[in-house]
Amino acid sequence: MGVIHVREPGLFTTVQDLGREGFGPMGVSPSGAADAASLRMGNHLVGNAEGEAGLEMTLLGGTFVFPDSTIIALAGSDFGATLDEKPVELWRRYEAGAGQVLRVGPTRSGARCYLCVLGGIEGELFLGSASTHVLSGLGGHEGRALRKGDVLTIRRTNPQKRTGQNACSTKGIPKRALEILEPRKLLRVTDGPQSN
């Protein structure tokens, strides 16, 4: 079990998984990743189950230190990340060596970027999910966005799970899959009652 030291938290970085569906009638928001497809693919890259918790960064990423070696991947929008000042591509897995520093900058292409680590981020479970819901202070890391100086725990990995990795984990996401996720430049509009 390793840890991640938060040197800089970024603008709004939270622990998110796929959320807690089905509790709306009780007034509980599902929370979860805003871009669930990116979180799923990032988890796939590092060899996790698709619903493991990762870090969701909004508009401006943070700076993170890995005291122990771990496997990482960035998914979602391009935030111009570097690992010890060497560029880190989206949709690829990397080994962050002991003591290495990941810096995730401001967005270049969208709103959210996901940091996934082998094993997933340990988060406070609420109704079966580690997703942070800031308004109610539930889930995630103390129910809030990350702060400078936070220490996040990486969940233990199951060696049997790791043996099932496929070529996508080592070579990145297939180009065709990424093309499907590219932003569309067509805005569809449905006429409403005031359109005349």
Side-chain angles (χ1 to χ4, degrees):
M1 186 163 26
V3 297
I4 302 172
H5 291 275
V6 180
R7 187 175 285 178
E8 293 294 335
L11 181 64
F12 187 73
T13 302
T14 57
V15 174
Q16 298 291 348
D17 59 19
L18 297 178
R20 50 186 72 81
E21 294 293 334
F23 298 99
M26 296 169 31
V28 179
S29 165
S31 302
D35 181 357
S38 290
L39 178 65
R40 283 184 168 107
M41 288 193 294
N43 273 320
H44 182 69
L45 283 166
V46 297
N48 290 341
E50 68 175 17
E52 288 290 349
L55 295 184
E56 179 181 81
M57 296 169 273
T58 303
L59 300 177
L60 174 66
T63 302
F64 309 98
V65 181
F66 301 93
D68 303 303
S69 178
T70 190
I71 302 298
I72 65 170
L74 291 174
S77 301
D78 180 7
F79 279 32
T82 61
L83 184 62
D84 277 358
E85 301 185 17
K86 293 179 183 166
V88 172
E89 294 180 39
L90 289 172
W91 314 114
R92 297 209 170 271
R93 73 186 262 144
Y94 289 86
E95 180 171 355
Q100 286 197 296
V101 178
L102 177 70
R103 287 186 175 82
V104 186
T107 183
R108 295 176 177 176
S109 67
R112 289 181 177 82
C113 181
Y114 295 86
L115 170 61
C116 297
V117 298
L118 179 61
I121 305 289
E122 189 75 50
E124 178 186 326
L125 292 179
F126 176 69
L127 296 176
S129 170
S131 284
T132 307
H133 187 259
V134 174
L135 291 176
S136 61
L138 297 170
H141 183 76
E142 300 179 6
R144 59 171 171 78
L146 298 186
R147 296 178 187 153
K148 183 176 183 172
D150 282 342
V151 178
L152 306 172
T153 302
I154 299 172
R155 292 167 44 100
R156 289 180 196 259
T157 59
N158 180 343
Q160 292 176 340
K161 265 171 75 171
R162 294 179 66 183
T163 60
Q165 293 172 3
N166 61 25
C168 181
S169 295
T170 56
K171 294 183 180 177
I173 301 291
K175 185 177 179 184
R176 177 71 184 122
L178 296 177
E179 287 172 358
I180 292 170
L181 292 175
E182 284 183 5
R184 295 182 179 100
K185 298 193 183 330
L186 178 65
L187 179 63
R188 297 186 185 276
V189 177
T190 303
D191 286 344
Q194 292 82 22
S195 63
N196 295 331

